[in-house]
């Protein structure tokens, strides 16, 4: 059972508040990470990947037959690929998320969450067999009770006054690896429909399409 995600379209308009000196948040887009590449602050746009629910049918049948009263059938929430396209270069990125905006990006669907930003969580993704696993849901055979396990990381959340932007900062530095933002409602058998994925990789090249103070100044001159 999937929950509606935090994916909401973003409206076109004037740039948002400043994420860093001289670097304003763009007028469109749901989630941006403030990265630092070669000593220069950059805003990197995170786009979502639709999740898959892997039922592990064959494995569950065999293990259930072997231990019918002990084994808990499992499903995993995962996305394709072993690595994210977006690769951030420092372990303490800051994220900016629009709460009530609407837009028409190709990377975003038009579903609005009922529970909103409160359920949006930062997770460490586990790489398995060329895929990235966000959560595992185990079912007790007798009762059918579901229990979800995931690697949620604590963040500090602040609303930027007078805007629909929120600033989210991990409480602890992120170690190299794969991560993502996903809605995780309270229901143990529920999860978001998409993951905004990224990695921490200090040796990665610069991300494509980043927003810098220089690109903003160039855009302003052309207008």
């Amino acid at each position: 059972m999937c929950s509606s995600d935090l994916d909401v379209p973003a409206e076109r308009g004037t740039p948002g508040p400043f994420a860093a000196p001289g670097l304003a948040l763009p007028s469109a887009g749901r989630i941006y990470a403030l990265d630092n590449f070669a000593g220069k602050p950059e805003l990197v746009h995170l786009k979502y990947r639709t999740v898959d629910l892997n039922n592990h049918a064959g494995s569950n049948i065999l293990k259930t037959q072997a231990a019918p009263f002990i084994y808990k059938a499992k499903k995993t929430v995962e996305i394709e690929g072993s690595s994210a396209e977006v690769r951030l270069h420092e372990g303490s990125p800051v994220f900016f998320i629009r709460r009530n905006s609407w837009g028409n990006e190709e990377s975003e669907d038009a579903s609005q969450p009922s529970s909103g930003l409160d359920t949006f969580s930062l997770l460490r993704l586990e790489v398995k067999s060329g895929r990235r696993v966000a959560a595992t849901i185990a079912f007790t055979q007798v009762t059918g009770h579901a229990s979800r396990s995931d690697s949620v990381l604590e963040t500090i959340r602040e609303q930027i006054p007078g805007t629909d932007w929120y600033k989210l900062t991990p409480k602890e530095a992120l170690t190299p690896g794969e991560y993502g933002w996903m809605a995780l409602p309270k229901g143990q058998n529920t999860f978001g429909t998409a993951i905004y994925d990224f990695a921490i990789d200090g040796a990665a090249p610069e991300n494509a399409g980043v927003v810098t103070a220089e690109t903003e100044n160039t855009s302003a001159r052309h207008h």
Side-chain angles (χ1 to χ4, degrees):
M1 177 180 177
C2 291
S3 159
S4 58
D5 202 348
L6 189 65
D7 302 318
V8 294
E11 63 188 11
R12 302 286 173 178
T14 58
F18 284 94
L23 187 56
L25 291 163
S27 59
R30 290 291 303 123
I31 303 179
Y32 286 87
L34 180 61
D35 190 26
N36 191 298
F37 181 76
K40 178 178 63 178
E42 300 180 336
L43 284 171
V44 185
H45 184 203
L46 271 59
K47 298 184 179 182
Y48 83 65
R49 301 285 302 277
T50 302
V51 305
D52 297 321
L53 181 62
N54 188 337
N55 292 310
H56 298 282
S59 175
N60 280 331
I61 290 174
L62 291 175
K63 292 178 181 179
T64 298
Q65 291 174 341
F69 299 105
I70 300 174
Y71 178 71
K72 294 184 178 181
K74 294 181 175 63
K75 298 180 180 181
T76 51
V77 181
E78 53 192 53
I79 55 176
E80 291 185 358
S82 59
S83 59
E85 180 180 346
V86 170
R87 310 194 74 76
L88 306 180
H89 300 89
E90 58 182 7
S92 300
V94 177
F95 299 89
F96 296 90
I97 300 178
R98 291 168 64 104
R99 171 62 182 84
N100 292 318
S101 51
W102 294 89
N104 53 9
E105 298 181 74
E106 292 181 0
S107 66
E108 295 175 344
D109 64 23
S111 60
Q112 171 134 24
S114 58
S115 52
L117 192 63
D118 291 343
T119 68
F120 211 46
S121 301
L122 175 61
L123 301 97
R124 176 147 190 155
L125 308 182
E126 183 179 5
V127 179
K128 284 187 175 182
S129 303
R131 298 175 70 85
R132 284 161 289 162
V133 177
T136 299
I137 303 171
F139 297 85
T140 302
Q141 294 186 58
V142 177
T143 64
H145 176 74
S147 175
R148 185 183 66 213
S149 60
D150 43 60
S151 298
V152 174
L153 304 172
E154 289 189 273
T155 58
I156 300 170
R157 181 176 306 172
E158 310 167 71
Q159 183 172 13
I160 299 177
T163 76
D164 58 359
W165 286 97
Y166 282 76
K167 176 181 175 182
L168 288 90
T169 307
K171 283 191 174 181
E172 297 183 0
L174 305 181
T175 57
E178 301 292 323
Y179 297 86
W181 289 94
M182 185 175 75
L184 284 177
K186 292 182 179 179
Q188 292 294 290
N189 192 21
T190 59
F191 48 88
T193 58
I195 295 174
Y196 291 83
D197 63 329
F198 68 94
I200 299 297
D201 181 359
E206 185 176 23
N207 289 290
V210 297
V211 179
T212 66
E214 289 79 6
T215 59
E216 287 197 334
N217 289 336
T218 300
S219 177
R221 285 198 299 270
H222 289 167
H223 287 82

